Structure formats: structure tokens, C-alpha cells
Amino acid sequence: MRRDALPTTVPFLDLRGAVGAHKAQMMAAFERVLDSGWYVMGRELQCFEAAWASYCGASHAVGVANGLDALILALEAVGVQPGDEVIVPANTYIATWLAVSHLGAVPVPVEPDPATCNIDVTRIERAITPRTRALLPVHLYGQAADLVPIIDIACRHGLAVVEDAAQAHGACYRGERIGAHGDAVAWSFYPGKNLGALGDGGAVTTHRDDVADRIRVARNYGSRVKYHNEVMGRNSRLDELQAALLMARLPALDSENAARAAIAERYLDELDGLGRHGLTLPLVPAYASPVWHLFVVRHPQRNKLAQALAERGVGTVIHYPVPPHLQPAYAHLGLKAGALPFSERLHEQVLSLPIGPAQTPLQTEFVIDALRSVLPTL
Ligand SMILES: *Cc1c(COP(=O)(O)O)cnc(C)c1O
């Protein structure tokens, strides 16, 4: 669509538009990889790993197959073992919990701070037991969790900190990019993330040489030298093509994040008066500079609001409709409805508005106008 065309609908995310902006660079990357005759564990991966580590201010980046594997490999590398407990946010995408479970460890949920939706740091210490091995905060929706108190608690109790940064490429905490605060930071390059491949991809960044080394070996069959296997590793590699495509998109990450921030600013300014109609806007604490992977509002009549917006042509998504502890996958934990009330209320009320690097100012205005006319009628 032309940037000045009047919209009649606004998609939740225009992924084709976001990716299409990089078509020339991505086609060049594709051709380079195609012609190289080398498709797994080569120069493209090395090049992207160096660039991503440097972007994050980390000593190392290790490319892996996806975000879930990044979390699993990071937890394993900091020493999480079967039977250990890992403290996770109650309010997150289920991948955070699954990574813990796939290692035979137990996710121990902690309620969110209702203001930020991220883990409530004042509730973490109560959840620590002699079996706790690690804290796994999530920088949800693209906004950093409060890392200083989290790392402080970890230090006092001798725990590791692994961060789930799958939604927060380029986000800052107290003015510094996330990616090297905790012992290991897990990234996803799923297509819809702020930095996305054309398929699955992931990485772990870290300031620890030993953690990076363990993951480098574990992602490739436990092998440092071909056909010599030190540990029972996995096959979880970021292939050359995805690494090259990510490298083609990386230079634009900051400007794309700025485009998201401009949309978020408008939403925050222009929807400010709608609190009297039950709308709660996201809160940005002083320590955080979010990258707005999602712009999540809350409303007591969330489903009605989503329906009314859909009728006006505005696409929205619920992140997430069912909290991990109420999924059939986690029935065995025995956490019934009411066990984590803050998280459950969030899941009933959250709604993600359209946002993305290809969204035009007129589209943003269209969303704002739709909210202004729909909210008083609910
Ligand atoms: C996307 C996501 C993941 C998983 O990433 P995949 O690459 O899809 O495996 C993990 N945690 C969070 C918070 C995510 O949003």
C-alpha cells in the first residue's frame, strides 16, 4: 500500500512489508550462500555471531536452531540438571517453561508485576528452595525485566540467571543493551520477532567463555572436532542461509525499532484519555527502553473490544489467551484456576494492538480512531 493511501483495514502485523523492505540485501545474501557450496557451520554463521555479539555488547554469540533450543542450551550450560527448580514468570509464552521441563527440571512460576507484566521481583525470594538452580526472567513484549534486583537475588542465593530475550532485540536496561547482564541470554529469530529470519533461528549471548564453549559443543552433536564427541550433544545449528539473511537485516534493526517506538509513542499519547473507558496502557518504568515487539493494552471486556475492532478492520492478537499453568501440557503441576490470580487476570484482559516497522502513520491513526469510537460503546 502507498504510504499516503487511506487505510480501510490495518493488519496486526504486516510481515511481508517488514521483510520486503530488505529484499535486495536478502536476495544478495541468498545468492552468496547458494553459490558458496557450504550450507551449515561456515563463514556466514561466524560473521553473524560476531555481529550479534557486538550488537548486544556480549563477548560471545552462539547461533542455534530456534529460541526454545537457545533456552534449553543456555539452561544446560549454566548447570541446570534433572530435578532442579528454575524460577520462571507465570506470565510468558509457554516456551520459557518448556525449556526448563525438557531438561527434566521443574518450572516454578512467580506472578507478574501488574504494572509491567514482567516478573515481580519482590516475589522471587519466596519461591526459592534448596533445589532452585536458576532464575529465568523474560523481557516480555520487548521491555526489559528489572535485572539489577534479579541478579542481586541470584548472587545472594548462588543461582544462575538465564534471560529469555526472544521478544527484546535491541531493548535497553538502564541505558545498556540487554544481552550480557545474566549468565546467558537466549534469543529467537522466528520470522515475527523484531529481528527475524525466513524460518527458525536462535542464539545465546553471554559474557562467560565457559558457557559459550559448552553451547558451541552441545549444539553440534557434542563435537569440537568432527567425529569426536565429548558430550551427548544435539543438532541445533543456525544454518548459513538464515545467518546470512539475519546479517542482511541487522543493520536496519535500530531504525525498525525506532519506527515501532514512534507508533508506541502515538498510542501512549493519543489513547491516554481512554482510561475512563476501562483501557489500561502499558507502563514503561524508568529503567527500560522497550523495543515494542508487542503493544499490549488491557481491558475488562477484552473479547468484546477485539470483536469491535475486528469489525472496523483492525487486527489484534491475544498474547496469550491461556497461561502456561492452565494449559493441558502442565496439568501435572496441579496448579488450578486461581493459583496465579495476577497472571490469570492478565490473560483475560490483554490485547495486542497492531505495531510493526511497516505500519504507516495513517494506519496508526486508523487504529487510534477505531479505539476512540469503539471503547465508549462497550
Ligand atoms: C518466540 C518466543 C520463544 C521461542 O522462540 P522459538 O524461536 O519460536 O522457539 C521463547 N520465549 C518467548 C518469550 C518467545 O516470545
Side-chain angles (χ1 to χ4, degrees):
M1 140 180 193
R2 283 185 24 238
R3 283 192 74 82
D4 57 352
L6 278 174
T8 54
T9 61
V10 179
F12 169 68
L13 171 65
D14 175 9
L15 194 52
R16 188 158 58 158
V19 173
H22 309 283
K23 189 165 179 180
Q25 296 91 316
M26 292 175 97
M27 290 303 281
F30 178 77
E31 202 162 7
R32 197 170 67 237
V33 174
L34 181 75
D35 290 345
S36 73
W38 191 273
Y39 307 112
V40 176
M41 299 287 277
R43 281 222 302 275
E44 299 288 346
L45 176 64
Q46 274 174 16
C47 178
F48 174 69
E49 286 179 338
W52 187 239
S54 144
Y55 181 87
C56 296
S59 321
H60 308 274
V62 185
V64 301
N66 54 61
L68 176 59
D69 279 5
L71 285 164
I72 294 172
L73 287 158
L75 289 166
E76 189 178 54
V78 302
V80 171
Q81 293 182 356
D84 287 347
E85 291 177 358
V86 175
I87 290 178
V88 296
N91 177 44
T92 182
Y93 180 55
I94 197 169
T96 316
W97 289 41
L98 289 175
V100 176
S101 303
H102 284 312
L103 287 168
V106 181
V108 175
V110 166
E111 286 265 64
D113 175 345
T116 63
C117 300
N118 272 325
I119 194 164
D120 182 346
V121 297
T122 67
R123 292 169 179 265
I124 291 176
E125 276 190 294
R126 274 175 268 166
I128 293 174
T129 77
R131 301 171 80 167
T132 308
R133 179 65 66 107
L135 308 181
L136 176 42
V138 179
H139 306 301
L140 199 66
Y141 311 148
Q143 177 163 295
D146 197 359
L147 286 169
V148 161
I150 290 171
I151 290 168
D152 181 56
I153 292 167
C155 286
R156 273 188 283 116
H157 294 267
L159 308 173
V161 175
V162 173
E163 301 162 51
D164 181 342
Q167 301 188 354
H169 313 75
C172 289
Y173 177 75
R174 296 193 179 181
E176 246 176 58
R177 286 224 180 94
I178 58 168
H181 290 86
D183 296 278
V185 182
W187 305 90
S188 162
F189 304 119
Y190 180 78
K193 309 290 186 182
N194 287 35
L195 180 63
L198 297 187
D200 282 307
V204 180
T205 53
T206 177
H207 59 85
R208 281 179 55 177
D209 297 345
D210 61 330
V211 166
D213 187 61
R214 261 178 236 129
I215 298 173
R216 279 209 174 89
V217 173
R219 74 171 167 185
N220 190 26
Y221 289 112
S223 159
R224 205 182 294 272
V225 178
K226 206 168 187 181
Y227 305 132
H228 294 264
N229 306 84
E230 298 172 18
V231 293
M232 292 197 293
R234 306 159 188 272
N235 175 355
S236 184
R237 300 175 297 219
L238 181 64
D239 63 60
E240 290 287 280
L241 184 56
Q242 299 304 343
L245 294 169
L246 288 165
M247 195 65 206
R249 291 193 64 175
L250 179 55
L253 177 59
D254 283 342
S255 64
E256 291 188 338
N257 282 342
R260 288 171 181 272
I263 296 165
E265 281 300 311
R266 279 195 71 185
Y267 283 155
L268 289 171
D269 280 356
E270 297 177 39
L271 300 174
D272 192 31
L274 295 173
R276 67 181 184 280
H277 297 299
L279 191 74
T280 304
L281 295 170
L283 179 121
V284 181
Y287 57 73
S289 316
V291 290
W292 302 104
H293 174 59
L294 300 171
F295 189 93
V296 178
V297 299
R298 275 178 269 165
H299 193 276
Q301 307 259 47
R302 187 267 315 277
N303 292 347
K304 273 192 176 169
L305 175 59
Q307 179 63 33
L309 288 172
E311 280 161 15
R312 293 189 139 252
V314 173
T316 57
V317 177
I318 297 167
H319 296 93
Y320 298 92
V322 181
H325 73 280
L326 299 180
Q327 300 281 1
Y330 278 106
H332 61 274
L333 291 182
L335 294 164
K336 299 275 186 303
L340 296 162
F342 287 124
S343 180
E344 288 165 31
R345 191 166 330 133
L346 281 182
H347 285 78
E348 283 161 14
Q349 297 193 344
V350 290
L351 189 66
S352 303
L353 299 184
I355 198 163
Q359 187 168 309
T360 68
L362 285 174
Q363 287 180 314
T364 303
E365 201 168 306
F366 186 86
V367 176
I368 292 166
D369 288 346
L371 278 156
R372 281 190 180 139
S373 59
V374 149
L375 277 164
T377 71
L378 293 178

